[in-house]
Amino acid sequence: MELAYIPSPSRGVLYLGPIPLRGYAFCIIIGVFVAVWLGNKRWIDRGGRSGTVADIAVWAVPFGLVGGRLYHVITDYELYFSEGRDWVDAFKVWQGGLGIWGAVALGAVGAWIGCRRRGITLPAYADAVAPGIAFAQAIGRWGNWFNQELYGRSTDLPWALHITSSADGRVPGYYHPTFLYESLWCVGVGFLVIWAGRRFKLGHGRTFALYVAAYCAGRGWIEYMRVDDAHHILGLRLNVWTAMLVFLCAVVYLVVSSRLRPGQEEIVEPGAADEDGSAGGDVSGEPEKKTEPVDGKKASADDTKAGAKAGAKVDTKTGAGTDAAEARDDAEPVGAATSADDAEPAGEAGAAKKA
């Protein structure tokens, strides 16, 4: 008997009257909300409009669910189309079975449609939602815990997962909680993507490519630990090969894209910056008016000094200049008393030269 282990829930569904509340579905829904919320914040920080991420998610999420289910059904077709199986079960998504590869691939098609309708580029949108997708996966993996599925080999570690169900060929016992390993890995991937995107100014889809590469690196070794039925190619599970292939594609994209289009996009959503600028301006739409100083003391003093010096020069050359009193009289209407004070020494100097 194990002294320490992770218990499994006795059941993965609760009933609110006739309405079933399934833990697997709740994990998926919460993950989607987290991805959209974080993606919206990142999109606004890049200069986009609030709500654009949610509008495109209306297309991406349904496509992603269909793609994830299709990948699972195609790669595990014997669970639904072999002798003694009911093909209708292929539509029961709430019972588990979503392949992340199909979800991301077909979800990208839905996102592309949404981006086209909004007039923005898919790579910029993908960069904004990349860490949110990783966190959504981390939350969604706990749905496997509710269903007592996707666990690893037998172990006596203190964090072993205690499987109690014997349905669908399960053998009760203590196993590696591979769902937990992947959940923690996805959390790390999410924070890595956020840090690297800010540190290296990743753009043009490279943030999303980094997410894909980092996720595949973890999925490979976690998939190798799992013991559920799967197709094998050359001794390796199909998803291990898929992870290696997608990892290489993501790395190639990172390298090629960084050489062809370095840096980030200057504008991610046309027109968003103009709307923000007009919102912060004058509501009346009138141009701003520049105000002049009221007292004008400094300007008056400077003008008076210049006038007094000019008067002094005229006196010395033509002999028809003015005296100090006239200089003061001319200075007084211009401004303040300080103007006359400043002009007085200059006027006296002119009068002295005349004498």
Side-chain angles (χ1 to χ4, degrees):
M1 179 179 179
E2 298 290 333
L3 296 179
Y5 59 86
I6 300 174
S8 293
S10 57
R11 54 181 179 175
V13 58
L14 298 174
Y15 287 90
L16 184 61
I19 302 175
L21 305 176
R22 303 182 184 278
Y24 185 88
F26 271 108
C27 291
I28 298 297
I29 293 172
I30 294 172
V32 170
F33 273 103
V34 169
V36 172
W37 170 79
L38 181 58
N40 183 66
K41 288 179 64 66
R42 288 171 54 82
W43 185 253
I44 294 174
D45 290 342
R46 288 295 313 277
R49 296 186 183 94
S50 176
T52 296
V53 170
D55 291 343
I56 298 176
V58 172
W59 290 89
V61 172
F63 273 72
L65 291 175
V66 173
R69 189 61 176 178
L70 281 175
Y71 181 89
H72 168 73
V73 172
I74 292 173
T75 56
D76 292 310
Y77 62 89
E78 65 278 358
L79 298 177
Y80 307 100
F81 302 105
S82 60
E83 186 177 355
R85 299 285 185 171
D86 187 358
W87 62 271
V88 178
D89 291 340
F91 297 95
K92 298 179 180 179
V93 181
W94 55 87
Q95 292 183 354
L98 291 174
I100 186 61
W101 316 111
V104 172
L106 205 56
V109 175
W112 176 79
I113 295 174
C115 289
R116 290 268 297 179
R117 292 170 61 90
R118 295 298 295 259
I120 62 178
T121 60
L122 178 61
Y125 179 82
D127 285 342
V129 300
I133 295 176
F135 292 134
Q137 288 180 255
I139 298 171
R141 274 305 176 200
W142 283 88
N144 303 130
W145 176 68
F146 282 103
N147 288 349
Q148 296 196 37
E149 60 186 3
L150 303 189
Y151 46 85
R153 294 188 291 270
S154 178
T155 182
D156 57 357
L157 293 171
W159 57 83
L161 175 66
H162 186 200
I163 296 297
T164 58
S165 174
S166 57
D168 297 327
R170 297 183 182 89
V171 178
Y174 300 90
Y175 301 91
H176 277 282
T178 51
F179 83 91
L180 177 61
Y181 298 161
E182 186 169 339
S183 178
L184 296 175
W185 183 269
C186 287
V187 171
V189 170
F191 284 115
L192 170 66
V193 169
I194 292 174
W195 172 82
R198 294 175 178 174
R199 174 65 176 81
F200 302 105
K201 301 296 182 183
L202 299 178
H204 301 285
R206 288 188 291 276
T207 302
F208 186 82
L210 175 62
Y211 146 72
V212 172
Y215 171 75
C216 291
R219 179 62 184 267
W221 65 267
I222 295 172
E223 183 75 21
Y224 187 75
M225 298 178 64
R226 284 167 49 172
V227 294
D228 53 304
D229 294 332
H231 296 284
H232 287 71
I233 300 176
L234 299 178
L236 292 177
R237 294 166 64 94
L238 174 61
N239 283 333
V240 175
W241 286 105
T242 304
M244 290 191 295
L245 177 62
V246 176
F247 172 84
L248 290 176
C249 292
V251 171
V252 170
Y253 182 88
L254 274 169
V255 175
V256 174
S257 176
S258 62
R259 293 179 178 178
L260 297 179
R261 294 180 295 179
Q264 291 181 325
E265 302 90 341
E266 293 183 0
I267 300 176
V268 296
E269 187 169 4
D274 296 338
E275 291 181 2
D276 293 341
S278 62
D282 187 3
V283 177
S284 64
E286 298 181 357
E288 295 182 359
K289 297 180 179 180
K290 295 183 179 180
T291 59
E292 299 292 341
V294 177
D295 52 5
K297 292 182 179 180
K298 182 177 181 180
S300 300
D302 294 340
D303 294 341
T304 305
K305 288 180 179 179
K309 290 180 179 180
K313 290 182 179 179
V314 171
D315 291 343
T316 56
K317 291 183 178 181
T318 65
T322 61
D323 57 9
E326 291 175 342
R328 286 195 297 270
D329 293 338
D330 292 338
E332 286 177 357
V334 177
T338 54
S339 302
D341 295 338
D342 293 336
E344 196 170 11
E348 292 176 355
K353 288 182 178 181
K354 182 178 179 180

